[in-house]
Amino acid sequence: MITPNVESASRSGWMESLRCSPVAYWTGVLHVLLFLSFAVLSVVDPRTVDGLNNWYKPMKFALSIAIFAFTVSILSVPLERIKSRGIRRPDVLARIICYMLWGEIILISLQAARGERSHFNIESALGGIIYSVMGLMILVSTIATVAFLLPYFSRSAEELQISRMVRRGIQVGTILFVLGSVAGGIMSSLLTHSVGDPGLHRIPFLGWSTTAGDIRTVHFLGLHAIQVLPLAAWWLKDEVRFRWVSSVLNWSYGIVFALVTTLTAMGLSVVFWL
């Protein structure tokens, strides 16, 4: 049960994130609505691409972008407190990130509507152009995200007015985010997400291979560390008796990430039992 104080603090935090980065906040809200819209389309449109419903990929990306946009919105709040200047102002970088993500979901949705792959599509000139533009937008978004998060390394927890545990969670999450982004770049360069056999046996919806190493698992774990670790630290609060728990979580997540990366590089599926 949520206590009134916690509920009030949560509501206040959301309102502050809306004030600090309205573009990121509303990007998150609208992508939740897009996710629901794509879910409806997946029911009424039976077409498939590579054995999966056309609209599963837009659904996955809409949900992922919603989570990421809300993360950017929330992380903008401490950055506003230190009044960053110039190109690294958090609101400027948040806008760049969101504009790139909007471009990404628009192109993915376009390809889904056309019944074609959005990723690794070099069979046609248009498909190749769309894939290249998507890659460029993600690169810009990734660079902007790293720049956006740099103050969490250069400024103290006291300046940011957050707990040391949360700051450390953001730092570890940022490092894993970069590594997860590198995994995404490797997929793009290889024009495949499988290591080993083609990985045709896949789990529902996510599409991860059960028979081969799937770089998407590494990509997924890396990108979402920036949500999981700070959130866990925030939930534990900045109490001395919980600091070791936060450290264990950070190390454990990093070890799991390294293990999944190693198994994937060896061509082994980490979801082989599904």
Side-chain angles (χ1 to χ4, degrees), residues 17-31:
S17 70
L18 172 59
R19 178 186 63 80
C20 292
S21 185
V23 172
Y25 181 91
W26 287 111
T27 293
V29 171
L30 292 174
H31 275 79

Side-chain angles (χ1 to χ4, degrees), residues 79-93:
L79 299 182
E80 280 292 329
R81 295 170 186 155
I82 60 175
K83 295 181 170 58
S84 299
R85 303 292 182 181
I87 189 62
R88 284 177 53 186
R89 285 180 56 194
D91 57 328
V92 173
L93 291 168

Side-chain angles (χ1 to χ4, degrees), residues 121-152:
N121 187 345
I122 56 174
E123 283 79 18
S124 66
L126 179 59
I129 291 171
I130 289 175
Y131 183 48
S132 298
V133 171
M134 286 170 53
L136 178 61
M137 289 191 296
I138 286 300
L139 177 61
V140 172
S141 175
T142 301
I143 294 172
T145 300
V146 172
F148 175 82
L149 293 169
L150 279 179
Y152 285 100

Side-chain angles (χ1 to χ4, degrees), residues 24 27-28 31 34 61-62 64-70 72 94-108 134 137-138 140-142 145 177 223:
T27 293
H31 275 79
L34 278 176
F61 272 79
S64 181
I65 290 173
I67 294 170
F68 192 75
F70 283 134
V72 170
R95 286 174 181 270
I96 293 173
I97 294 166
C98 291
Y99 293 157
M100 294 301 102
L101 294 178
W102 271 111
E104 182 87 354
I105 196 66
I106 288 170
L107 292 179
I108 290 173
M134 286 170 53
M137 289 191 296
I138 286 300
V140 172
S141 175
T142 301
T145 300
F177 169 84
L223 293 192

Side-chain angles (χ1 to χ4, degrees), residues 203 208-211 217 268-274:
I203 64 175
W208 296 346
S209 173
T210 61
T211 59
T217 57
L268 301 175
S269 172
V270 297
V271 290
F272 61 88
W273 67 89
L274 297 175

Side-chain angles (χ1 to χ4, degrees), residues 244-256:
W244 70 271
V245 179
S246 180
S247 295
V248 168
L249 285 173
N250 289 337
W251 277 102
S252 297
Y253 198 104
I255 290 170
V256 169

Side-chain angles (χ1 to χ4, degrees), residues 36-216:
L36 297 175
S37 300
F38 294 145
V40 172
L41 286 171
S42 72
V43 174
V44 300
D45 185 354
R47 293 179 299 161
T48 62
V49 174
D50 292 338
L52 294 173
N53 186 279
N54 280 15
W55 299 102
Y56 280 1
K57 178 158 287 190
M59 283 175 66
K60 291 185 289 185
F61 272 79
L63 183 58
S64 181
I65 290 173
I67 294 170
F68 192 75
F70 283 134
T71 302
V72 170
S73 178
I74 292 169
L75 293 182
S76 293
V77 177
L79 299 182
E80 280 292 329
R81 295 170 186 155
I82 60 175
K83 295 181 170 58
S84 299
R85 303 292 182 181
I87 189 62
R88 284 177 53 186
R89 285 180 56 194
D91 57 328
V92 173
L93 291 168
R95 286 174 181 270
I96 293 173
I97 294 166
C98 291
Y99 293 157
M100 294 301 102
L101 294 178
W102 271 111
E104 182 87 354
I105 196 66
I106 288 170
L107 292 179
I108 290 173
S109 304
L110 172 64
Q111 289 297 76
R114 297 177 66 231
E116 294 192 12
R117 288 186 297 166
S118 54
H119 291 69
F120 315 136
N121 187 345
I122 56 174
E123 283 79 18
S124 66
L126 179 59
I129 291 171
I130 289 175
Y131 183 48
S132 298
V133 171
M134 286 170 53
L136 178 61
M137 289 191 296
I138 286 300
L139 177 61
V140 172
S141 175
T142 301
I143 294 172
T145 300
V146 172
F148 175 82
L149 293 169
L150 279 179
Y152 285 100
F153 290 83
S154 61
R155 300 299 185 99
S156 68
E158 289 73 21
E159 288 179 286
L160 294 162
Q161 298 178 40
I162 58 176
S163 74
R164 294 179 182 179
M165 288 165 52
V166 170
R167 178 173 175 266
R168 182 56 54 86
I170 294 171
Q171 290 174 339
V172 176
T174 300
I175 293 169
L176 293 176
F177 169 84
V178 171
L179 294 176
S181 298
V182 170
I186 292 173
M187 280 192 290
S188 294
S189 64
L190 295 176
L191 293 178
T192 181
H193 40 65
S194 296
V195 180
D197 69 41
L200 299 179
H201 297 282
R202 295 173 290 184
I203 64 175
F205 187 62
L206 290 175
W208 296 346
S209 173
T210 61
T211 59
D214 199 315
I215 306 174
R216 287 174 295 184

